[in-house]
Amino acid sequence: DAGVIQSPRHEVTEMGQEVTLRCKPISGHDYLFWYRQTMMRGLELLIYFNNNVPIDDSGMPEDRFSAKMPNASFSTLKIQPSEPRDSAVYFCASRARGVAEQYFGPGTRLTVT
Amino acid sequence: DAKTTQPPSMDCAEGRAANLPCNHSTISGNEYVYWYRQIHSQGPQYIIHGLKNNETNEMASLIITEDRKSSTLILPHATLRDTAVYYCIVASWNTGNQFYFGTGTSLTVIP
């Protein structure tokens, strides 16, 4: 398996623009997670899905952030409009039902100018 | 909401065992101890987890004290590629999705 796939790997955009980050979880995994990592706040869980259904989005910072999982093999995290403080590395992770470990993707480094 | 305490940094000589401590004095009966590491610019990597028994896999060993209030991750023969930030996390099985990574321990393996 190729592991968790994220795209793009790097994104540079201007303040006010819409940003869409993409994730393909490992095939057969029932859970998908979106994390954000910054120097100030470390690694934070934003939202997670179980069987394509959002279960907990309490970590989503504000209404500008939204996440969807239209099917078991694809998820998006959208920021609209983007702000400089959204600059961070965004990770997607997935895990299978009944096991402990989450497998992380390589991350998307977002820079908002 | 920190449930674990780890030293911010440690050094280890290449080829020697690296012992990374973690305190989790408020751990509850149904919570597991998980260890992850993050090599610079990469996504976190699962290492090992345990409930109360010591565990070993191809990457590391996990020693959990009898009262479960602390644990030690052991890398038996550290290499330069083990230089990373190591995170100790406690979470219950059925809420194992709620991982709080904290600040971790930055391990530097010295040649």
Side-chain angles (χ1 to χ4, degrees), chain B residues 17-93:
Chain B
N19 296 280
L20 292 91
C22 180
N23 287 320
H24 32 78
S25 58
T26 60
I27 192 170
S28 59
N30 64 345
E31 288 185 317
Y32 286 71
V33 180
Y34 301 88
W35 282 84
Y36 279 74
R37 73 180 182 183
Q38 187 173 24
I39 297 171
H40 181 62
S41 299
Q42 298 182 21
Q45 177 190 22
Y46 167 81
I47 301 173
I48 198 168
H49 76 281
L51 182 62
K52 55 183 178 181
N53 297 321
N54 297 338
E55 303 288 343
T56 296
N57 62 21
E58 66 279 5
M59 290 182 67
S61 295
L62 174 60
I63 308 299
I64 303 175
T65 58
E66 191 170 345
D67 63 8
R68 303 209 320 125
K69 292 185 177 182
S70 66
S71 61
T72 301
L73 179 74
I74 301 172
L75 308 178
H77 305 287
T79 70
L80 298 179
R81 289 177 296 179
D82 293 322
T83 293
V85 177
Y86 287 77
Y87 298 98
C88 170
I89 302 162
V90 295
S92 61
W93 183 267

Side-chain angles (χ1 to χ4, degrees), chain A residues 33 37 56 95 98 100 102, chain B residues 34 36 38 46 93 97-98:
Chain A
F33 308 82
Q37 187 171 36
D56 186 348
R95 76 168 177 91
Q102 299 179 20
Chain B
Y34 301 88
Y36 279 74
Q38 187 173 24
Y46 167 81
W93 183 267
N97 307 301
Q98 306 296 345

Side-chain angles (χ1 to χ4, degrees), chain A:
Chain A
D1 199 316
V4 176
I5 299 172
Q6 292 187 246
S7 64
R9 293 293 309 277
H10 301 274
E11 177 78 38
V12 180
T13 190
E14 293 183 348
M15 181 174 62
Q17 297 298 307
E18 177 180 297
V19 175
T20 299
L21 311 181
R22 297 172 176 80
C23 175
K24 176 179 170 56
I26 293 173
S27 177
H29 282 193
D30 295 331
Y31 291 84
L32 183 138
F33 308 82
W34 282 101
Y35 290 84
R36 177 174 69 175
Q37 187 171 36
T38 62
M39 289 293 293
M40 290 294 294
R41 300 177 65 89
L43 197 61
E44 305 173 279
L45 177 65
L46 299 177
I47 185 172
Y48 77 90
F49 295 80
N50 180 21
N51 291 324
N52 314 335
V53 176
I55 302 301
D56 186 348
D57 65 355
S58 60
M60 296 285 263
E62 48 196 278
D63 292 346
R64 297 185 296 107
F65 286 69
S66 62
K68 294 182 179 180
M69 191 166 186
N71 57 62
S73 60
F74 183 67
S75 177
T76 59
L77 178 67
K78 185 175 295 186
I79 308 172
Q80 166 64 22
S82 58
E83 297 182 3
R85 59 191 169 128
D86 301 330
S87 296
V89 181
Y90 291 80
F91 290 103
C92 176
S94 69
R95 76 168 177 91
R97 181 180 349 119
V99 298
E101 59 269 33
Q102 299 179 20
Y103 291 89
F104 283 74
T108 294
R109 181 173 296 276
L110 173 65
T111 302
V112 183
T113 60

